[in-house]
């Protein structure tokens, strides 16, 4: 049982106490306190995660599984504890449904490469126009190599997902529906339960990119009734080089492996090979051991604060940020759907997003500028690039104010 964080011990949310856990947030940039608003790209790491990984390297490190010595047992226990932590975090039915991958991208590629072996020419894959390239390119591989047809579900002008238009795309040739749970550009939260029900009604498998949503809201894969759910660690206050794939056990058991090597086999002879059972069938080679332990620690950290409490804090920040930034007439905010996540993408009139980001960095404000690996979505809004401010559990209204003040300076410069 995860113990409550001291910041929430009295039922409130002491964001300054939370911030003290993150060493990077004490930095100064160009003589200003760091205002880190690039969380949708990658979040900072709390001391609890860093210390847990140091312990793993210093006192528990060995390769996992099959070893019979003390360190092998210690490392395996910590690694598999992280798997159980992830299972509980997603409310999966079994640890056999949790596959550790190198990233969210690795998770989606695992599904696409494995399910893709049964795709035939003319089979249809439905994506949304909001997808990150990680949930586009693997399906384009199947279009190029297998003759699959990709269909695109639209969003409305405010960025909300058009469920009726999505349903109209489904048919007897629909084999896979791959949809983000939260857009990394718009912050739009998609109605995954309704999407899954409609997809299952035509016999399609449902693959969800949860890399943003898992950070900002509680996720219950059984309640959502999805077939696969992809997660990355580095946005969830965990290290880089680790992600996971949730998959229904019966589907994983029927799927061919994605990679070959050690760990994923049962027996190898000169003539034959037989494969292990999930999750190990999909974890070829030495896994990211310490990174997985770090992911487990990050999930425990988030649980100690409470995901509902984090969501409420970020919702307040998002509302405040939208209110403040709307006062800048030079800004065009892209994505204003109701109940969106704490992500704001915007353009400044007369200025390239890269220039805006460079100027506000002089004042210690870190945002992302570019396409955000979502070129089809930006094309839908007639943009080639945007700035993106994205918020995390450690951000404050003061961060929003510093963003606003820095944008005013940029606006004055480019006017």
């Amino acid at each position: 049982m995860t113990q409550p964080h001291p910041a929430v011990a009295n039922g409130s949310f002491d964001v300054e106490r939370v911030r003290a856990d993150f060493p990077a947030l004490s930095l100064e940039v160009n003589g200003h306190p760091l205002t880190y608003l690039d969380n949708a790209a990658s979040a900072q790491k709390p001391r609890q995660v860093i210390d847990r990984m140091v312990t793993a390297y210093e006192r528990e490190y060995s390769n996992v599984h099959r070893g019979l010595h003390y360190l092998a047992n210690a490392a395996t226990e910590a690694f598999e504890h992280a798997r159980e932590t992830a299972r509980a975090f997603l409310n999966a039915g079994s640890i056999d449904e949790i596959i550790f991958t190198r990233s969210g991208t690795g998770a989606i590629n695992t599904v696409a490469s494995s399910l893709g072996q049964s795709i035939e020419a003319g089979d249809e894959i439905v994506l949304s126009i909001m997808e990150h390239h990680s949930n586009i390119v693997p399906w384009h591989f199947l279009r190029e190599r297998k003759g699959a047809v990709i269909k695109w579900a639209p969003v409305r002008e405010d960025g909300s997902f058009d469920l009726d238009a999505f349903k109209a795309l489904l048919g007897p040739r629909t084999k896979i529906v791959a949809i983000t749970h939260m857009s990394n550009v718009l912050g739009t939260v998609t109605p995954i339960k309704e999407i899954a029900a409609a997809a299952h009604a035509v016999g399609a498998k449902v693959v969800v990119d949860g890399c943003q949503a898992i950070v900002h809201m509680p996720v219950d894969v059984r309640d959502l009734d999805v077939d696969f759910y992809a997660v990355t660690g580095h946005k969830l206050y965990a290290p880089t080089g680790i992600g996971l794939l949730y998959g229904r056990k019966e589907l994983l058991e029927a799927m061919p492996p994605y990679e070959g090597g050690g760990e994923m086999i049962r027996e190898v002879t000169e003539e034959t090979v037989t494969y292990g059972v999930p999750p190990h069938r999909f974890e070829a080679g030495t896994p990211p051991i310490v990174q997985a332990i770090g992911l487990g620690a990050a999930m425990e950290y988030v649980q100690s604060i409470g995901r509902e409490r984090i969501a409420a804090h970020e919702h307040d920040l998002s509302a405040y940020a939208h209110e403040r930034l709307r006062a800048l007439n030079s800004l065009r905010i892209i994505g204003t759907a109701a109940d969106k996540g704490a992500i704001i993408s915007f353009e400044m009139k007369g200025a390239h997003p890269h220039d805006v980001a460079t100027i506000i960095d002089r004042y210690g404000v870190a945002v992302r500028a570019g396409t955000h690996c979502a070129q089809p979505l930006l094309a839908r809004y007639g943009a080639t690039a945007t700035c993106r401010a994205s918020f995390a559990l450690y951000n404050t209204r003061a961060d929003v104010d510093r963003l606003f003040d820095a944008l005013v300076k940029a606006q004055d410069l480019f006017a």
Side-chain angles (χ1 to χ4, degrees):
M1 183 71 178
T2 303
Q3 295 299 311
H5 191 284
V8 301
N10 61 0
S12 63
F13 182 78
D14 184 349
V15 67
E16 294 301 327
R17 177 63 185 81
V18 170
R19 288 175 63 83
D21 291 336
F22 291 81
L25 299 183
S26 64
L27 295 173
E28 286 194 353
V29 175
N30 298 321
H32 298 272
L34 172 64
T35 302
Y36 188 79
L37 301 175
D38 195 20
N39 298 287
S42 199
Q44 297 300 323
K45 318 306 173 192
R47 178 62 63 189
Q48 290 85 339
V49 171
I50 297 169
D51 289 348
R52 182 66 189 89
M53 294 178 67
V54 169
T55 297
Y57 275 123
E58 291 182 344
R59 305 182 62 182
E60 299 173 336
Y61 184 76
S62 176
N63 214 325
V64 293
H65 306 136
R66 298 181 301 281
L68 300 176
H69 57 82
Y70 170 82
L71 283 177
N73 290 332
T76 299
E77 182 178 349
F79 181 74
E80 292 301 331
H81 174 74
R83 196 189 305 273
E84 167 56 26
T85 300
R87 183 211 63 77
F89 201 78
L90 292 169
N91 195 33
S94 166
I95 59 171
D96 297 337
E97 296 179 320
I98 302 297
I99 297 164
F100 285 126
T101 63
R102 61 179 173 81
S103 59
T105 299
I108 294 170
N109 275 272
T110 296
V111 179
S113 297
S114 187
L115 288 184
Q117 295 183 42
S118 63
I119 291 292
E120 299 177 352
D123 286 345
E124 296 170 357
I125 301 168
V126 178
L127 313 178
S128 87
I129 201 68
M130 294 186 289
E131 300 311 309
H132 188 282
H133 294 167
S134 293
N135 201 28
I136 295 177
V137 178
W139 310 113
H140 266 304
F141 287 170
L142 298 183
R143 178 191 59 79
E144 292 175 342
R145 301 167 188 178
K146 306 280 283 187
V149 175
I150 296 177
K151 293 188 171 183
W152 297 90
V155 294
R156 303 181 182 92
E157 187 61 27
D158 69 350
S160 57
F161 183 77
D162 192 332
L163 185 61
D164 290 336
F166 161 76
K167 290 179 179 178
L169 297 174
L170 303 178
R173 295 302 301 269
T174 307
K175 301 301 180 184
I176 297 170
V177 170
I179 301 284
T180 186
H181 198 174
M182 178 187 290
S183 167
N184 74 310
V185 176
L186 306 175
T188 298
V189 178
T190 55
I192 290 297
K193 283 187 73 169
E194 291 84 351
I195 289 169
H200 288 153
V202 298
K205 302 295 189 297
V206 179
V207 184
V208 179
D209 173 2
C211 292
Q212 293 293 336
I214 196 70
V215 183
H216 301 288
M217 66 177 71
V219 171
D220 183 330
V221 291
R222 285 190 281 181
D223 179 63
L224 294 173
D225 196 28
V226 298
D227 299 305
F228 303 94
Y229 198 95
V231 172
T232 194
H234 67 98
K235 302 180 197 296
L236 190 62
Y237 315 106
T240 54
I242 184 65
L244 67 83
L245 172 68
Y246 158 80
R248 291 185 193 270
K249 186 175 181 180
E250 63 273 19
L251 295 179
L252 295 177
E253 288 175 340
M255 285 164 53
Y258 166 47
E259 292 182 307
E263 180 71 12
M264 50 74 65
I265 51 83
R266 178 173 295 163
E267 185 176 1
V268 177
T269 71
E270 292 184 24
E271 292 82 22
T272 63
V273 57
T274 55
Y275 305 126
V277 297
H280 306 298
R281 179 186 299 174
F282 300 97
E283 293 181 350
T286 296
I289 299 165
V290 178
Q291 291 89 339
I293 293 169
L295 175 59
M299 289 179 166
E300 289 173 346
Y301 180 83
V302 169
Q303 291 284 59
S304 75
I305 296 171
R307 284 186 280 179
E308 292 83 358
R309 190 176 285 108
I310 291 169
H313 171 71
E314 292 178 346
H315 178 77
D316 174 77
L317 281 179
S318 181
Y320 182 65
H322 276 83
E323 177 186 352
R324 293 232 64 190
L325 296 191
R326 277 196 296 264
L328 293 173
N329 293 330
S330 65
L331 294 192
R332 174 199 180 199
I333 296 176
I334 299 176
T336 58
D339 299 320
K340 62 174 285 188
I343 296 171
I344 304 179
S345 292
F346 59 88
E347 296 175 309
M348 179 176 286
K349 184 177 180 180
H352 193 280
H354 289 170
D355 295 329
V356 174
T358 299
I359 294 301
I360 66 177
D361 178 62
R362 296 177 183 175
Y363 304 97
V365 179
V367 299
R368 181 71 32 170
T371 66
H372 318 297
C373 294
Q375 288 177 314
L377 177 62
L378 292 192
R380 183 255 181 263
Y381 285 100
T384 56
T386 69
C387 287
R388 181 186 66 194
S390 49
F391 301 89
L393 61 87
Y394 43 65
N395 288 122
T396 65
R397 286 192 170 206
D399 290 334
V400 175
D401 293 338
R402 284 192 284 269
L403 169 65
F404 177 86
D405 292 342
L407 287 173
V408 168
K409 292 180 172 67
Q411 178 181 260
D412 293 344
L413 180 66
F414 293 115

